[in-house]
Amino acid sequence: MKWAGQLRPIVAALTVLAATGCVARAEDANDYPTSARAEYVYGCMKANGESRQSIEQCSCSIDVVASIVPYERYVTAETALSMSQVRGNLGVQFRTSEQANSAVNDLRRAQAEAEVRCF
């Protein structure tokens, strides 16, 4: 058991590295404000039933979306989806914009992944 004492510093270093790696990933995935997460969960629950199970599934869903789509891109997609419903020239600009369509497609892919993982 002579080597057990030599392992302690290595284990301690690995623990620190693992903890800092987890913190960095958690910070990256947590760039969505609470209000945006709450809105998403609320809308998701309206579409999927207002039950304890839907809270869990919808919370999981926004976590998956947040891990795939940066918040700025999410805002772009949500804005494009909302504004594309406006009648007239303003709505057309959002329906035909390549940037808006790309952001919406990214969001839809993330939501599809969330559907697979969470529902």
Side-chain angles (χ1 to χ4, degrees):
M1 290 269 202
K2 289 182 182 180
W3 53 270
Q6 295 171 344
L7 285 179
R8 281 188 204 134
I10 295 171
V11 170
L14 289 175
T15 302
V16 169
L17 286 174
T20 56
C22 291
V23 169
R25 281 191 299 264
E27 288 172 358
D28 292 344
N30 198 22
D31 66 340
Y32 283 48
T34 303
S35 60
R37 288 177 181 268
E39 278 183 35
Y40 183 97
V41 171
Y42 179 76
C44 176
M45 287 179 63
K46 285 293 186 186
N48 293 293
E50 297 174 6
S51 66
R52 180 69 188 156
Q53 181 180 5
S54 69
I55 290 173
E56 295 294 326
Q57 291 170 324
C58 293
S59 296
C60 172
S61 181
I62 188 59
D63 290 344
V64 171
V65 169
S67 73
I68 296 171
V69 178
Y71 180 65
E72 285 185 29
R73 190 81 166 153
Y74 174 81
V75 170
T76 301
E78 285 293 311
T79 302
L81 287 169
S82 177
M83 293 302 295
S84 68
Q85 297 176 17
V86 173
R87 293 183 183 180
N89 190 37
L90 185 59
V92 169
Q93 290 175 1
F94 281 92
R95 287 189 292 274
T96 59
S97 164
E98 183 61 37
Q99 181 182 4
N101 287 331
S102 175
V104 169
N105 288 337
D106 288 348
L107 176 58
R108 288 190 174 142
R109 280 191 289 275
Q111 287 175 323
E113 178 65 25
E115 180 84 18
V116 169
R117 291 189 200 178
C118 302
F119 288 88

